[in-house]
Amino acid sequence: MPPLPGAEPYHHRGGPIGVLLCHGFTGSPQSLRPWAEYLAEAGLTVSLPLLPGHGTRWQDLAVTRWEDWYAELNRAFEQLAEECERVFVFGLSMGGGLSLHLAAEHQEKVAGLVLVNPSVRADNPATPLLPVLRHLVPSRPGITGDIALPGAVEIGYDRFPLHAAWSLSRLWHTVQQELVRVGQPVLLLRSPRDHVVSPANSALVLARISSVDVTERLCERSFHVATLDYDAELIFEESLGFVRRLAGVPQATDATDQRG
């Protein structure tokens, strides 16, 4: 089934520095598209894949597992690594968890991570019941669209399948075990008023990773999908400055980069 209008993957061939972006659970590339285009306009090579089972209908997600989502992200990473000298990985929500897994797997091949409200642990007390519930209840109401900015819309599912939610919980378990293997520079941006992912997720990441170069920023005005919210510009500018600093690219003096 073709993706929903606006949920298509995105790729831009730019300079020798690449950025791979990963959307969240039940979401689509649309939630990161403005970010991807901002980075492309700054001269970076950008890849924003559509994860299997996403961007069509929730029933398609029910027959996929986290290993399928990761396989597509890894494929896009390998392609980007062939095109570019250095590759950074950015992720929103579950995309942050998948990005951490990729960083643990590829080690020095990942130049740095930018995580926005990363999801790495269970916040719902019913999660331990998913092995049984997934066989009894096909789906639950969706979690997309947690945005403070009036008029901003996230393209995603209005329901999520419990089979996929169970698999997501297995991803969390995997990522938690390997956070200590993540030693790359990290920029973590989180929303204090996130209604989907609790602050405990970011706290767990920061407590367990081995990275020395770590920066945390708050998206004070935004909810979960901060990349489409009031703090989107902050995320875009901070992430571009992060890449330029680590890649040795001179900082811009115009409005595209406020870090100077």
Side-chain angles (χ1 to χ4, degrees):
M1 180 175 290
L4 297 167
E8 303 87 357
Y10 173 81
H11 185 88
H12 170 80
R13 186 67 178 268
I17 306 301
V19 175
L20 173 64
L21 298 101
C22 185
H23 66 78
F25 183 66
T26 75
S28 77
Q30 177 263 349
S31 62
L32 302 181
R33 183 65 177 261
W35 194 7
E37 292 178 345
Y38 176 92
L39 298 169
E41 290 174 3
L44 305 180
T45 293
V46 180
S47 179
L48 172 54
L50 173 63
L51 302 182
H54 292 77
T56 53
R57 57 177 191 157
W58 71 260
Q59 291 87 346
D60 295 331
L61 184 59
V63 296
T64 66
R65 298 293 180 267
W66 80 259
E67 292 88 350
D68 302 314
W69 315 329
Y70 178 72
E72 177 59 22
L73 185 68
N74 188 65
R75 182 204 62 78
F77 175 79
E78 295 287 3
Q79 178 182 342
L80 205 55
E82 291 181 1
E83 298 177 15
C84 301
E85 296 175 2
R86 305 187 73 184
V87 178
F88 294 81
V89 183
F90 295 4
L92 166 67
S93 194
M94 178 192 75
L98 288 170
S99 298
L100 286 161
H101 179 58
L102 190 144
E105 290 282 299
H106 289 282
Q107 297 289 317
E108 69 277 359
K109 291 177 66 177
V110 174
L113 292 167
V114 176
L115 309 171
V116 179
N117 294 322
S119 174
V120 297
R121 66 183 294 276
D123 290 321
N124 191 324
T127 298
L129 302 177
L130 282 174
V132 174
L133 287 178
R134 66 192 180 107
H135 297 293
L136 304 175
V137 182
S139 66
R140 293 285 296 160
I143 56 174
T144 58
D146 187 36
I147 304 172
L149 180 65
V153 176
E154 180 188 16
I155 296 176
Y157 297 149
D158 58 2
R159 303 193 70 80
F160 66 89
L162 265 63
H163 280 299
W166 168 79
S167 189
L168 174 59
S169 72
R170 304 311 301 156
L171 169 65
W172 290 331
H173 177 76
T174 298
V175 172
Q176 289 172 23
Q177 301 306 309
E178 60 191 11
L179 283 173
V180 69
R181 296 171 52 198
V182 175
Q184 298 91 337
V186 171
L187 170 61
L188 189 150
L189 302 108
R190 66 175 181 86
S191 304
R193 295 187 296 160
D194 189 328
H195 303 103
V196 177
V197 172
S198 75
N201 285 263
S202 291
L204 179 61
V205 171
L206 296 175
R208 292 195 182 179
I209 58 176
S210 299
S211 307
V212 175
D213 186 342
V214 178
T215 303
E216 181 181 20
R217 292 282 185 268
L218 295 183
C219 299
E220 298 279 6
R221 304 179 63 203
S222 302
F223 292 165
H224 182 62
V225 191
T227 51
L228 296 178
D229 215 326
Y230 284 111
D231 294 293
E233 186 176 353
L234 168 70
I235 294 170
F236 301 171
E237 293 176 353
E238 288 282 333
S239 63
L240 180 58
F242 176 79
V243 169
R244 284 177 167 162
R245 174 173 65 84
L246 293 171
V249 178
Q251 299 291 321
T253 56
D254 58 20
T256 62
D257 188 355
Q258 300 299 319
R259 291 171 65 94

PDB file of all heavy atoms in Angstrom, residues 83 101 108 122 141 149 167 169 172 179 192 195 206 210 246 255 260:
ATOM      1  N   GLU A  83      27.877   7.077   0.865  1.00  0.00           N
ATOM      2  CA  GLU A  83      27.836   8.373   0.194  1.00  0.00           C
ATOM      3  C   GLU A  83      28.657   9.435   0.923  1.00  0.00           C
ATOM      4  O   GLU A  83      29.110  10.397   0.296  1.00  0.00           O
ATOM      5  CB  GLU A  83      26.394   8.867   0.078  1.00  0.00           C
ATOM      6  CG  GLU A  83      25.457   7.987  -0.745  1.00  0.00           C
ATOM      7  CD  GLU A  83      24.033   8.517  -0.741  1.00  0.00           C
ATOM      8  OE1 GLU A  83      23.834   9.694  -0.354  1.00  0.00           O
ATOM      9  OE2 GLU A  83      23.125   7.772  -1.111  1.00  0.00           O
ATOM     10  N   HIS A 101      20.270   2.055  19.408  1.00  0.00           N
ATOM     11  CA  HIS A 101      20.630   0.680  19.051  1.00  0.00           C
ATOM     12  C   HIS A 101      21.605   0.674  17.886  1.00  0.00           C
ATOM     13  O   HIS A 101      22.598  -0.064  17.890  1.00  0.00           O
ATOM     14  CB  HIS A 101      19.367  -0.104  18.686  1.00  0.00           C
ATOM     15  CG  HIS A 101      19.619  -1.519  18.275  1.00  0.00           C
ATOM     16  ND1 HIS A 101      20.262  -2.431  19.076  1.00  0.00           N
ATOM     17  CD2 HIS A 101      19.313  -2.176  17.123  1.00  0.00           C
ATOM     18  CE1 HIS A 101      20.338  -3.598  18.449  1.00  0.00           C
ATOM     19  NE2 HIS A 101      19.780  -3.469  17.259  1.00  0.00           N
ATOM     20  N   GLU A 108      32.019   3.423  16.057  1.00  0.00           N
ATOM     21  CA  GLU A 108      32.697   4.596  15.500  1.00  0.00           C
ATOM     22  C   GLU A 108      32.161   5.032  14.147  1.00  0.00           C
ATOM     23  O   GLU A 108      32.464   6.132  13.670  1.00  0.00           O
ATOM     24  CB  GLU A 108      34.209   4.340  15.388  1.00  0.00           C
ATOM     25  CG  GLU A 108      34.617   3.307  14.348  1.00  0.00           C
ATOM     26  CD  GLU A 108      34.511   1.885  14.857  1.00  0.00           C
ATOM     27  OE1 GLU A 108      34.135   1.690  16.027  1.00  0.00           O
ATOM     28  OE2 GLU A 108      34.803   0.970  14.073  1.00  0.00           O
ATOM     29  N   ALA A 122       9.299   1.409  29.414  1.00  0.00           N
ATOM     30  CA  ALA A 122       7.846   1.366  29.531  1.00  0.00           C
ATOM     31  C   ALA A 122       7.361   2.427  30.512  1.00  0.00           C
ATOM     32  O   ALA A 122       7.869   2.529  31.628  1.00  0.00           O
ATOM     33  CB  ALA A 122       7.400  -0.017  29.994  1.00  0.00           C
ATOM     34  N   PRO A 141      -6.326   3.093  21.295  1.00  0.00           N
ATOM     35  CA  PRO A 141      -6.298   4.441  20.712  1.00  0.00           C
ATOM     36  C   PRO A 141      -4.883   4.949  20.507  1.00  0.00           C
ATOM     37  O   PRO A 141      -3.976   4.640  21.285  1.00  0.00           O
ATOM     38  CB  PRO A 141      -7.054   5.279  21.751  1.00  0.00           C
ATOM     39  CG  PRO A 141      -7.977   4.305  22.415  1.00  0.00           C
ATOM     40  CD  PRO A 141      -7.203   3.018  22.468  1.00  0.00           C
ATOM     41  N   LEU A 149       1.485  23.481  19.661  1.00  0.00           N
ATOM     42  CA  LEU A 149       1.280  24.541  18.675  1.00  0.00           C
ATOM     43  C   LEU A 149      -0.059  24.387  17.973  1.00  0.00           C
ATOM     44  O   LEU A 149      -0.294  23.375  17.301  1.00  0.00           O
ATOM     45  CB  LEU A 149       2.417  24.513  17.648  1.00  0.00           C
ATOM     46  CG  LEU A 149       2.373  25.555  16.533  1.00  0.00           C
ATOM     47  CD1 LEU A 149       2.523  26.963  17.112  1.00  0.00           C
ATOM     48  CD2 LEU A 149       3.481  25.280  15.512  1.00  0.00           C
ATOM     49  N   SER A 167       6.272  -5.719  20.607  1.00  0.00           N
ATOM     50  CA  SER A 167       7.604  -5.747  20.002  1.00  0.00           C
ATOM     51  C   SER A 167       8.405  -4.514  20.397  1.00  0.00           C
ATOM     52  O   SER A 167       9.617  -4.603  20.634  1.00  0.00           O
ATOM     53  CB  SER A 167       7.494  -5.842  18.476  1.00  0.00           C
ATOM     54  OG  SER A 167       8.758  -6.079  17.898  1.00  0.00           O
ATOM     55  N   SER A 169       8.271  -3.032  23.189  1.00  0.00           N
ATOM     56  CA  SER A 169       8.775  -3.282  24.546  1.00  0.00           C
ATOM     57  C   SER A 169      10.019  -4.158  24.517  1.00  0.00           C
ATOM     58  O   SER A 169      10.894  -4.036  25.379  1.00  0.00           O
ATOM     59  CB  SER A 169       7.690  -3.932  25.410  1.00  0.00           C
ATOM     60  OG  SER A 169       7.447  -5.280  25.035  1.00  0.00           O
ATOM     61  N   TRP A 172      12.886  -1.847  23.737  1.00  0.00           N
ATOM     62  CA  TRP A 172      13.316  -1.135  24.939  1.00  0.00           C
ATOM     63  C   TRP A 172      14.276  -1.990  25.763  1.00  0.00           C
ATOM     64  O   TRP A 172      15.307  -1.503  26.228  1.00  0.00           O
ATOM     65  CB  TRP A 172      12.105  -0.773  25.797  1.00  0.00           C
ATOM     66  CG  TRP A 172      11.209   0.270  25.232  1.00  0.00           C
ATOM     67  CD1 TRP A 172      11.567   1.291  24.391  1.00  0.00           C
ATOM     68  CD2 TRP A 172       9.811   0.414  25.474  1.00  0.00           C
ATOM     69  NE1 TRP A 172      10.465   2.060  24.097  1.00  0.00           N
ATOM     70  CE2 TRP A 172       9.367   1.545  24.744  1.00  0.00           C
ATOM     71  CE3 TRP A 172       8.875  -0.308  26.216  1.00  0.00           C
ATOM     72  CZ2 TRP A 172       8.040   1.970  24.758  1.00  0.00           C
ATOM     73  CZ3 TRP A 172       7.551   0.110  26.234  1.00  0.00           C
ATOM     74  CH2 TRP A 172       7.152   1.238  25.513  1.00  0.00           C
ATOM     75  N   LEU A 179      23.030   0.426  26.325  1.00  0.00           N
ATOM     76  CA  LEU A 179      23.302   1.859  26.434  1.00  0.00           C
ATOM     77  C   LEU A 179      24.743   2.140  26.826  1.00  0.00           C
ATOM     78  O   LEU A 179      25.331   3.133  26.384  1.00  0.00           O
ATOM     79  CB  LEU A 179      22.348   2.508  27.445  1.00  0.00           C
ATOM     80  CG  LEU A 179      20.922   2.773  26.969  1.00  0.00           C
ATOM     81  CD1 LEU A 179      20.055   3.265  28.126  1.00  0.00           C
ATOM     82  CD2 LEU A 179      20.912   3.786  25.826  1.00  0.00           C
ATOM     83  N   PRO A 192       9.619  19.019  28.833  1.00  0.00           N
ATOM     84  CA  PRO A 192       9.117  18.779  30.189  1.00  0.00           C
ATOM     85  C   PRO A 192       7.625  18.458  30.220  1.00  0.00           C
ATOM     86  O   PRO A 192       7.149  17.786  31.137  1.00  0.00           O
ATOM     87  CB  PRO A 192       9.417  20.100  30.912  1.00  0.00           C
ATOM     88  CG  PRO A 192      10.549  20.713  30.152  1.00  0.00           C
ATOM     89  CD  PRO A 192      10.293  20.336  28.722  1.00  0.00           C
ATOM     90  N   HIS A 195       3.420  14.321  26.906  1.00  0.00           N
ATOM     91  CA  HIS A 195       2.327  13.479  27.393  1.00  0.00           C
ATOM     92  C   HIS A 195       2.421  12.039  26.890  1.00  0.00           C
ATOM     93  O   HIS A 195       1.517  11.233  27.148  1.00  0.00           O
ATOM     94  CB  HIS A 195       0.984  14.082  26.968  1.00  0.00           C
ATOM     95  CG  HIS A 195       0.786  15.484  27.442  1.00  0.00           C
ATOM     96  ND1 HIS A 195       0.936  16.579  26.612  1.00  0.00           N
ATOM     97  CD2 HIS A 195       0.483  15.979  28.668  1.00  0.00           C
ATOM     98  CE1 HIS A 195       0.717  17.689  27.304  1.00  0.00           C
ATOM     99  NE2 HIS A 195       0.448  17.353  28.544  1.00  0.00           N
ATOM    100  N   LEU A 206      20.732   9.276  29.781  1.00  0.00           N
ATOM    101  CA  LEU A 206      21.862  10.067  30.269  1.00  0.00           C
ATOM    102  C   LEU A 206      22.638   9.352  31.369  1.00  0.00           C
ATOM    103  O   LEU A 206      23.845   9.540  31.503  1.00  0.00           O
ATOM    104  CB  LEU A 206      21.366  11.427  30.758  1.00  0.00           C
ATOM    105  CG  LEU A 206      20.756  12.338  29.687  1.00  0.00           C
ATOM    106  CD1 LEU A 206      20.192  13.607  30.320  1.00  0.00           C
ATOM    107  CD2 LEU A 206      21.771  12.686  28.606  1.00  0.00           C
ATOM    108  N   SER A 210      27.873   5.894  27.845  1.00  0.00           N
ATOM    109  CA  SER A 210      29.274   6.125  28.210  1.00  0.00           C
ATOM    110  C   SER A 210      29.841   7.391  27.586  1.00  0.00           C
ATOM    111  O   SER A 210      31.023   7.687  27.751  1.00  0.00           O
ATOM    112  CB  SER A 210      30.115   4.916  27.769  1.00  0.00           C
ATOM    113  OG  SER A 210      29.675   3.735  28.408  1.00  0.00           O
ATOM    114  N   LEU A 246      31.238  19.064  15.470  1.00  0.00           N
ATOM    115  CA  LEU A 246      31.904  17.762  15.472  1.00  0.00           C
ATOM    116  C   LEU A 246      32.533  17.414  14.124  1.00  0.00           C
ATOM    117  O   LEU A 246      33.523  16.677  14.066  1.00  0.00           O
ATOM    118  CB  LEU A 246      30.910  16.670  15.875  1.00  0.00           C
ATOM    119  CG  LEU A 246      30.424  16.759  17.321  1.00  0.00           C
ATOM    120  CD1 LEU A 246      29.291  15.773  17.562  1.00  0.00           C
ATOM    121  CD2 LEU A 246      31.566  16.498  18.303  1.00  0.00           C
ATOM    122  N   ALA A 255      21.307  33.632   9.862  1.00  0.00           N
ATOM    123  CA  ALA A 255      20.224  33.209  10.751  1.00  0.00           C
ATOM    124  C   ALA A 255      20.053  31.693  10.817  1.00  0.00           C
ATOM    125  O   ALA A 255      19.330  31.197  11.674  1.00  0.00           O
ATOM    126  CB  ALA A 255      18.900  33.850  10.303  1.00  0.00           C
ATOM    127  N   GLY A 260      26.959  30.578  16.603  1.00  0.00           N
ATOM    128  CA  GLY A 260      28.137  31.423  16.381  1.00  0.00           C
ATOM    129  C   GLY A 260      29.420  30.652  16.426  1.00  0.00           C
ATOM    130  O   GLY A 260      30.436  31.188  16.768  1.00  0.00           O
TER     131      GLY A 260
END
